Amino acid sequence: MSTAQETRTLSTRAAATKSRTVKTSVLKVGGKSYLSARVTSAYGAAKRFTVKQRVCAARTCRTATVALTVGAGMTGWQERYLGTGSYRRSGAPRVSVTAPPAVPAAAPVATPTVTVTVKETVRETVTVDPVVAAAPTVTVTVTATPTVTVTAPAPGTEDTLCGAPANTYGFTYCTTGARVDTPVEEACLVFSCIDYFSEGEGYLVMCADGKVSMSGGINGVCSYHGGWLRDIYRFAT
């Protein structure tokens, strides 16, 4: 957030246990409100925290969710845009803790098969001495002529990813694929997703920091991740 804009903390609440301390605040910057969650973890390993906080604007209330991963013994924070105008908190935050999602290993890339066949060509030269008593001399020369045969990749294995990570879910950078308009969990197995990926209401895009978001086509796409980098498509699997 720019220091030139006014920043106000409208309300702050905390939920603490021996293993964690969670504080939520409602911030207002330039007429826009944000829910901020700050988590201090005392766990011995990295954990995924999902913080749900009920917020109200005028007479309308709803539950906003902030998700973030915090390392062992560290503090992290994440903000969620609520809307324009003023918001207030209602009640204490609800916190759930899980293990962070594992990052799958990259699938092996198929390489073409090269077959080398060696054929022998035999050339025979015979020299006969005019003296009958002399035995003939035979000279044999063997010349090896290698033949190289390259086997093309099997049909259906051509590169249809256009530089996207190897995956079996059909995700591609090629514009010949279909745009992804619904959040799919498989995207987070191939790419690194932003914290509240599943709540996106646009289409699948990659942000400038390499993370993917469902904010394509929405005003402020990837606003906290360096802006839009590219659209991500999907072939039918």
Side-chain angles (χ1 to χ4, degrees):
M1 299 181 185
S2 171
T3 56
Q5 295 176 311
E6 177 189 4
T7 301
R8 291 188 294 159
T9 301
L10 303 182
S11 60
T12 302
R13 294 286 178 87
T17 68
K18 292 182 180 180
S19 300
R20 64 179 186 261
T21 299
V22 180
K23 295 182 179 180
T24 58
S25 302
V26 176
L27 309 176
K28 187 175 182 182
V29 182
K32 298 180 180 180
S33 292
Y34 301 83
L35 174 65
S36 175
R38 183 184 182 92
V39 178
T40 299
S41 174
Y43 289 98
K47 294 292 182 180
R48 179 76 166 180
F49 294 87
T50 301
V51 182
K52 295 185 177 182
Q53 174 64 61
R54 191 160 180 78
V55 294
C56 303
R59 297 181 179 180
T60 303
C61 296
R62 74 175 193 266
T63 298
T65 302
V66 179
L68 66 161
T69 299
V70 182
M74 302 185 69
T75 298
W77 57 89
Q78 182 69 46
E79 294 177 356
R80 175 69 186 276
Y81 175 65
L82 298 176
T84 57
S86 298
Y87 282 75
R88 68 182 185 278
R89 291 168 28 85
S90 176
R94 289 176 295 159
V95 184
S96 60
V97 184
T98 58
V103 178
V109 178
T111 56
T113 302
V114 178
T115 303
V116 178
T117 304
V118 178
K119 296 181 179 179
E120 293 184 348
T121 300
V122 178
R123 183 175 63 205
E124 179 179 299
T125 302
V126 178
T127 303
V128 179
D129 196 308
V131 179
V132 177
T137 299
V138 179
T139 302
V140 178
T141 303
V142 177
T143 303
T145 304
T147 301
V148 178
T149 302
V150 178
T151 303
T157 61
E158 294 82 5
D159 180 17
T160 58
L161 302 180
C162 293
N167 67 93
T168 58
Y169 303 108
F171 294 109
T172 176
Y173 294 158
C174 299
T175 58
T176 52
R179 194 170 67 185
V180 183
D181 295 315
T182 303
V184 288
E185 295 180 357
E186 295 94 333
C188 297
L189 299 177
V190 179
F191 307 96
S192 176
C193 292
I194 65 173
D195 288 327
Y196 40 92
F197 173 83
S198 61
E199 298 182 17
E201 298 177 351
Y203 54 82
L204 184 62
V205 296
M206 176 173 286
C207 302
D209 64 357
K211 293 190 175 182
V212 296
S213 166
M214 291 299 299
S215 61
I218 297 177
N219 187 27
V221 54
C222 294
S223 57
Y224 286 93
H225 298 274
W228 175 91
L229 177 63
R230 62 163 57 92
D231 292 347
I232 297 176
Y233 302 90
R234 190 180 191 187
F235 289 109
T237 56

